Amino acid sequence: MTQYEVVGIGNAVVDVISHADDAFLTGNGIEKGIMQLIERDRAEDLYAAMQDRLQTPGGSVANTVAGAGALGLKTAFIGRVRDDELGQFYAKAMTDIGIDFVNAPVAEGENPTSRCMIFVTPDGERSLNTYLGISTGLTSDDVPQSVTSKAKLMFLEGYLFDHDAGKTAFREAARAASAGGGMAGIAISDPFCVERHRDDFLDLIENDLGYVIGNEAEIRALWETDDTEVALAKTADICPLVVCTRSGDGVTLIRGEERVDVPVEKVVPVDATGAGDQFAAGFLYGLATGRDLETCGRMGNICAGEVIRHIGPRPQTDIMALFKAEGLV
């Protein structure tokens, strides 16, 4: 049976990118430079109004899995799409780049495929309008144990933890991975998710996960403290491996008594979208291939550094060549 090196579970979202001017934003009630959650009717209206649509498969953990796959790891992704035009596009696009897209598009149901409509103005600002759609309805039925039990590394998207069915699916997937000899972890995703479900988050991390990845705000939110060091210590007490990204200050990795602080080259980003997702891809590649903590952190930083140098959340450069240039492979 297939042994996957990285299996991700997350929101399957089609990113739909279009150019627009300020008058278009104003005329369509789009607030410039921010992300807004929208309902289905508005999603369909905005999608119809887009003139030069560029569609790419997205979602935070999906982007990470794509990055890990581009580095040569055997990967799979678990997520829900509808059997509609965008869902068929998403499934094919993931499969075409070598990712095993586990779930067949859903033929029945009320909600269409999730999409994030991104309007780029001439000044480079990106205004995001996200319709969550079908992807948030993930349940245990969508998560086959035949896949999760064969995962060397399982990677969970914190956003899906907002739903009770998602919580159950995550626990079952993490336990199946562990029982199969693998290790599960989570991207915390958002401090607000933590605030809504803190006790459940901490219970999952302590009892079912082998690693956790979050930025400083997310790690602090776990413990309701403004002190990052306190939050790191508390998280390390309940989880074997803690990874905290610190933007321009690099990344801190803690495993047992071992702590590594890896600096990062400071650059002005062209587009910061996907920086955390691609950091995770590089980190997971290092972890899956048995690298030490510092190397894992450096690999993550290189991946994040590449993706912020261009528009879009997925790498456009041969990352392995960058690793080789730094003597990491």
Side-chain angles (χ1 to χ4, degrees), residues 38 73 166 206 242 277:
I38 59 176
L73 298 184
E206 182 172 9
V242 181
D277 304 340

Side-chain angles (χ1 to χ4, degrees), residues 74-135:
K74 178 67 175 174
T75 59
F77 179 71
I78 296 170
R80 286 169 58 86
V81 297
R82 183 76 182 273
D83 190 12
D84 53 21
E85 182 179 349
L86 286 179
Q88 293 165 4
F89 163 80
Y90 192 99
K92 183 177 186 301
M94 295 290 274
T95 302
D96 284 350
I97 59 173
I99 297 169
D100 188 350
F101 188 70
V102 173
N103 307 83
V106 178
E108 299 177 353
E110 295 183 1
N111 295 324
T113 297
S114 310
R115 79 277 316 258
C116 177
M117 283 151 293
I118 305 168
F119 296 90
V120 183
T121 42
D123 58 5
E125 283 277 10
R126 294 158 62 87
S127 306
L128 283 66
N129 297 261
T130 302
Y131 169 63
L132 293 176
I134 194 173
S135 67

Side-chain angles (χ1 to χ4, degrees), residues 39-196:
E39 297 300 323
R40 176 176 177 173
D41 288 348
R42 179 156 172 77
E44 292 176 347
D45 290 343
L46 289 180
Y47 183 78
M50 301 179 94
Q51 297 299 313
D52 56 341
R53 292 190 289 255
L54 172 66
Q55 297 179 170
T56 62
S60 177
V61 163
N63 288 334
T64 296
V65 170
L71 288 166
L73 298 184
K74 178 67 175 174
T75 59
F77 179 71
I78 296 170
R80 286 169 58 86
V81 297
R82 183 76 182 273
D83 190 12
D84 53 21
E85 182 179 349
L86 286 179
Q88 293 165 4
F89 163 80
Y90 192 99
K92 183 177 186 301
M94 295 290 274
T95 302
D96 284 350
I97 59 173
I99 297 169
D100 188 350
F101 188 70
V102 173
N103 307 83
V106 178
E108 299 177 353
E110 295 183 1
N111 295 324
T113 297
S114 310
R115 79 277 316 258
C116 177
M117 283 151 293
I118 305 168
F119 296 90
V120 183
T121 42
D123 58 5
E125 283 277 10
R126 294 158 62 87
S127 306
L128 283 66
N129 297 261
T130 302
Y131 169 63
L132 293 176
I134 194 173
S135 67
T136 58
L138 183 132
T139 71
S140 297
D141 292 339
D142 302 302
V143 185
Q145 189 170 344
S146 59
V147 174
T148 57
S149 64
K150 297 298 181 182
K152 184 173 186 178
L153 295 173
M154 173 74 62
F155 193 44
L156 310 173
E157 184 171 322
Y159 286 122
L160 284 177
F161 205 69
D162 244 346
H163 306 272
D164 287 341
K167 294 177 185 178
T168 300
F170 275 11
R171 290 190 184 95
E172 292 175 355
R175 291 167 186 172
S178 179
M183 179 169 64
I186 195 168
I188 298 177
S189 296
D190 189 328
F192 298 109
C193 285
V194 175
E195 290 172 8
R196 288 190 290 269

Side-chain angles (χ1 to χ4, degrees), residues 5 25 47 274 276:
E5 290 165 293
L25 300 187
Y47 183 78

